[in-house]
Structures are given as C-alpha cells and as structure tokens.
Amino acid sequence: MRYFVTFSYNGGRYHGWQIQPNGDSVQQQLQHALTLLLRQDITVTGAGRTDAGVHARKMVAHFDCHEAVDCQQLVYKLNKLLPYDIAVSQVEQVADDLHARFSATSRMYRYYLHTTKSPFLSFTSCELHYPLDFNKMNEAAALLLDYEDFGAFCKSHADVKTTLCHVTAAQWHQTSPTTWYFEIRANRFLRNMVRAVVGTLIDVGRGRVSIDDFKKIVEGKKRTEAGESMPAHALFLEDITY
C-alpha cells in the first residue's frame, strides 16, 4: 500500500532534502521516523530536491507499507518524534501507481526579500539595500513564459537529462513598503534554477542588465552569462499540485 505524506520544514539546519553521506537531511529524518514507528524499513521518495538551506511550506513524499496505516495517528506520532523544524500535516493512502515526484503536475516557489533591516526576517528573507525597479523586473520575468529551455539558470555540471521546463507563472509581488516575493510556477525546476533566475532579475532591477540582454541570456543557455545565485535561506517551496 502506498501513502503520501504532506509536510513542511525549515531547511536552515539541513543539507537539503536528499540523504547525504556527510550531513543531516530532511529525507533522512522522515525516513528514520517512519521506520521506527512502522517497524519496517521504509524508503521515502520526495516530490523534488531542495538544496541546503531551502525551506518548504508544502512538500510531499510517498512511502510503501505492507500493512494498513492509521493515518491520523501516524501524523500525531510523527510530529512527536520528528525535530521541531519538520511538521507533518497529512498522511493519506493513495493509488499504488501514484508517484510523489513523477505524478506532480506543477511546483511553485517563492523567493522573499526585504529592503530594510529586520530582526524577524533575517533567516527567511534576503536583505537588499540598493534601489530596484520592480516594474522592469516583472517585464523581464514575464518573458520566462515564452521560453522552454532554461539552461542559462541550471547549475553548472548538473546531472540532468534535459533543461526544458514549462513555466506558467513568474511575477514579483509587493507585500509591504519594504517586503517583496518572487513567485514562479512550472512543471519542473532545474537545480539552482529559481535562485539563478532571481539573481538575474535583480541585475535587471539594478539596471545592470537590459530587457534585451535578459532575452539574450535566456536564449544563450549559458550559466556563466546569467546572474549570481541568490542565498538559499530566502527560498521556499510553497506548493505542489497533482
């Protein structure tokens, strides 16, 4: 029997989602907790891989179990056993052929930034102190919907079979006079893609890169031409749809 686990986590203490040989990961914590509670070796498969320091407001993973599971009770027990920075909201039985990663139809990320010093945002938002033209940044962001190959924003030497993605939304939103977030939705994302896109859009906002230059960067498909990768702590996986 197959089960989906929906949960959230603060990625600050972890070396990303995926199990690592030399550091703690979210996958390792969840897998260990399920193995203890269900008293059998459990392997969890996540909907995607978040990098070290990246957070998830909604993450989904699946596992298979030989026996029926009391889903509500398992949620309670997982939350008692898991560390303070991982919280399970739902466990549900699904069809055996449903896959947390391959059955997902879209994923949505948000990158948060603020423009004045804040003791409350420092761990979940990127602090910037130079002027940014968000209208220009949104003009450039809208162009992402016209392209399919995002090799320019893929981490160099990443082990990927294709750099094609279908982006369906990309826009900056203002939430207060000093806080913003960039929201992007696509069927899939490349490693480091969102942080590289944000870094390049910030170059547009600072006047370092024109709209035409931005087009050339995307069309050129070279990571060396795009902007820097922004810090991980301000990035959230916000939603996954099936």
Side-chain angles (χ1 to χ4, degrees):
M1 288 171 278
R2 177 157 293 182
Y3 294 86
F4 267 24
V5 185
T6 303
F7 56 103
S8 58
Y9 57 85
N10 183 316
R13 294 195 307 128
Y14 299 102
H15 289 243
W17 156 256
Q18 192 175 16
I19 290 176
Q20 303 290 330
N22 58 352
D24 198 8
S25 71
V26 180
Q27 183 184 25
Q28 178 181 339
Q29 289 286 344
L30 181 61
Q31 196 161 281
H32 177 67
L34 284 167
T35 295
L36 286 177
L37 293 172
L38 299 176
R39 299 181 180 180
Q40 59 181 274
D41 289 333
I42 297 294
T43 300
V44 296
T45 301
R49 301 176 182 177
T50 55
D51 292 334
V54 176
H55 316 292
R57 222 176 295 273
K58 179 182 179 181
M59 178 60 143
V60 178
H62 78 249
F63 69 90
D64 295 326
C65 187
H66 304 313
E67 301 176 356
V69 170
D70 183 331
C71 294
Q72 187 173 354
Q73 189 67 14
L74 184 56
V75 170
Y76 173 79
K77 290 181 178 180
L78 281 170
N79 283 325
K80 295 291 284 185
L81 185 58
L82 287 166
Y84 69 92
D85 45 12
I86 303 175
V88 175
S89 58
Q90 185 179 43
V91 175
E92 60 179 332
Q93 186 176 355
V94 297
D96 290 343
D97 61 351
L98 202 61
H99 195 283
R101 179 182 175 190
F102 298 124
S103 298
T105 56
S106 73
R107 297 152 174 87
M108 188 261 280
Y109 282 87
R110 286 179 180 173
Y111 193 89
Y112 294 84
L113 64 83
H114 55 288
T115 55
T116 57
K117 184 178 180 180
S118 168
F120 307 109
L121 297 176
S122 57
F123 297 106
T124 56
S125 177
C126 182
E127 186 175 322
L128 300 178
H129 291 286
Y130 35 75
L132 292 170
D133 186 337
F134 284 94
N135 290 328
K136 283 288 185 184
M137 291 160 70
N138 269 332
E139 186 179 347
L143 295 173
L144 296 172
L145 278 64
D146 297 333
Y147 294 92
E148 291 186 340
D149 194 326
F150 294 95
F153 306 115
C154 182
K155 187 173 183 177
S156 299
H157 310 299
D159 182 21
V160 293
K161 295 180 180 179
T162 176
T163 52
L164 300 181
C165 306
H166 180 52
V167 176
T168 55
Q171 187 175 11
W172 287 94
H173 299 267
Q174 187 171 15
T175 53
S176 82
T178 60
T179 56
W180 299 76
Y181 67 81
F182 174 65
E183 181 174 299
I184 183 167
R185 183 181 290 273
N187 64 326
R188 65 188 291 264
F189 287 91
L190 307 172
R191 188 174 180 188
N192 217 219
M193 175 175 165
V194 180
R195 289 191 284 149
V197 166
V198 172
T200 310
L201 290 174
I202 285 174
D203 283 344
V204 172
R206 298 183 71 180
R208 293 178 167 182
V209 171
S210 68
I211 298 297
D212 286 339
D213 289 338
F214 186 81
K215 290 181 182 179
K216 292 176 183 176
I217 288 170
V218 180
E219 293 168 1
K221 305 173 188 176
K222 294 181 179 179
R223 179 65 187 93
T224 53
E225 300 298 319
E228 68 174 312
S229 179
M230 298 299 289
H233 73 275
L235 181 62
F236 283 73
L237 172 59
E238 294 277 350
D239 192 26
I240 303 169
T241 56
Y242 290 90

